[in-house]
Amino acid sequence: MHKILISACLLGEKVRYDGQHRLLDHPAIERWQREGRLVPFCPEVAGGLPTPRPAAEIRQRFPILVNSRDGQDFTPAFLRGAELALEVARRDGCCCALMKADSPSCSNSRVYDGHFSGTLVEGSGLAAAELMRHGIAVFDETQLAHLIDFIAAQTSCAA
Ligand code: SF4
């Protein structure tokens, strides 16, 4: 049975930078969890960062640079977390991922601009980008309906 990698904070794990979670309360999530399809993963914690931790943003793409609000270089931890996300997704046979929107690790489409200005810009988080680069479809929590359709269309996932 194919599985779904999911941002751990969406499953209620208190792994966010502020020590909180972002539980996504939905019958589909409950069903997938009962079926054993969900693989919770937090790239930032897996990459070695503590919880709580300072908020971080992607400051630069080429070469990649991730800074915390207090000026620490989080780039190695973010890169390691992205590598591990792919490793875990492959190991557990994840056909897709459900990841937190607007996160510098997990977002599939937009992130904050790197200046802690509260401005969102186009671009994906490092872990989501790594998954997508290797053919794993990434949805965020605002796209849950699309993920439900995607899963239904994957006979191998639905089996
Ligand atoms: Fe959630 Fe992803 Fe941030 Fe971890 S890195 S707290 S899983 S959004």
Side-chain angles (χ1 to χ4, degrees):
M1 179 175 64
H2 287 250
K3 297 188 176 181
I4 306 163
L5 192 80
I6 181 169
S7 293
C9 57
L10 294 177
L11 262 193
E13 294 186 24
K14 293 185 170 181
V15 289
R16 278 171 50 90
Y17 73 94
D18 58 4
Q20 298 301 308
H21 60 73
R22 279 291 183 275
L23 179 66
L24 184 56
D25 192 9
H26 190 282
I29 303 289
E30 287 170 19
R31 178 165 50 83
W32 290 334
Q33 193 160 23
R34 274 198 311 276
E35 293 171 349
R37 287 181 187 273
L38 297 181
V39 178
F41 185 80
C42 174
E44 292 174 23
V45 169
L49 293 172
T51 304
R53 55 190 172 276
E57 295 188 2
I58 300 168
R59 186 165 183 83
Q60 177 181 293
R61 291 273 173 184
F62 305 105
I64 195 75
L65 179 62
V66 181
N67 276 352
S68 67
R69 183 183 286 276
D70 61 0
Q72 296 176 68
D73 182 0
F74 281 180
T75 311
F78 269 63
L79 289 174
R80 182 72 186 130
E83 280 173 14
L84 289 170
L86 180 62
E87 214 172 288
V88 167
R90 284 177 161 168
R91 183 196 68 199
D92 287 7
C94 296
C95 61
C96 51
L98 174 57
M99 303 189 84
K100 178 76 187 67
D102 304 343
S103 155
S105 288
C106 290
S107 173
N108 65 358
S109 59
R110 55 182 201 171
V111 292
Y112 289 100
D113 69 356
H115 300 283
F116 300 94
S117 67
T119 307
L120 285 162
V121 294
E122 267 185 38
S124 42
L126 301 197
E130 185 71 357
L131 293 172
M132 292 189 287
R133 204 169 17 250
H134 290 85
I136 296 175
V138 177
F139 300 81
D140 70 27
E141 70 273 25
T142 71
Q143 301 167 323
L144 187 54
H146 297 302
L147 175 57
I148 291 168
D149 289 345
F150 179 89
I151 294 289
Q154 305 287 308
T155 50
S156 53
C157 280

